Amino acid sequence: ITVSINERGQIFVGETQSSVAELAARIQPLAKQGFDERIYVRGAKQVDYGTVAQVMSAITTAGYRRVALLTEQEGRR
């Protein structure tokens, strides 16, 4: 499952836009392995770290234990 934050700070679970408050409800039906589902968080370069931390916190507070950041290597786009 991938949670993305675009350059305007909008949050998406897959292709569906979400708020921080709605994240757990959006992720739950996709999490086939329950709270052990791997959830990736990807933020646009322009997004401040506080927003990324808030999203990750909402996911872990909901009980998901396997949350990871996705990064792009320089030169790959």
Side-chain angles (χ1 to χ4, degrees), residues 15-32:
E15 300 294 320
T16 304
Q17 190 168 352
S18 178
S19 68
V20 171
E22 297 172 326
L23 276 173
R26 298 268 188 215
I27 291 170
Q28 190 270 331
L30 303 173
K32 304 296 183 213

Side-chain angles (χ1 to χ4, degrees), residues 5-56:
I5 310 164
N6 70 14
E7 58 279 345
R8 293 181 296 199
Q10 295 171 308
I11 302 165
F12 294 86
V13 177
E15 300 294 320
T16 304
Q17 190 168 352
S18 178
S19 68
V20 171
E22 297 172 326
L23 276 173
R26 298 268 188 215
I27 291 170
Q28 190 270 331
L30 303 173
K32 304 296 183 213
Q33 297 176 3
F35 292 118
D36 287 325
E37 185 77 30
R38 172 73 69 184
I39 301 175
Y40 297 99
V41 177
R42 176 192 318 254
K45 196 174 195 175
Q46 300 84 348
V47 175
D48 66 82
Y49 183 75
T51 302
V52 175
Q54 184 181 22
V55 166
M56 292 184 75

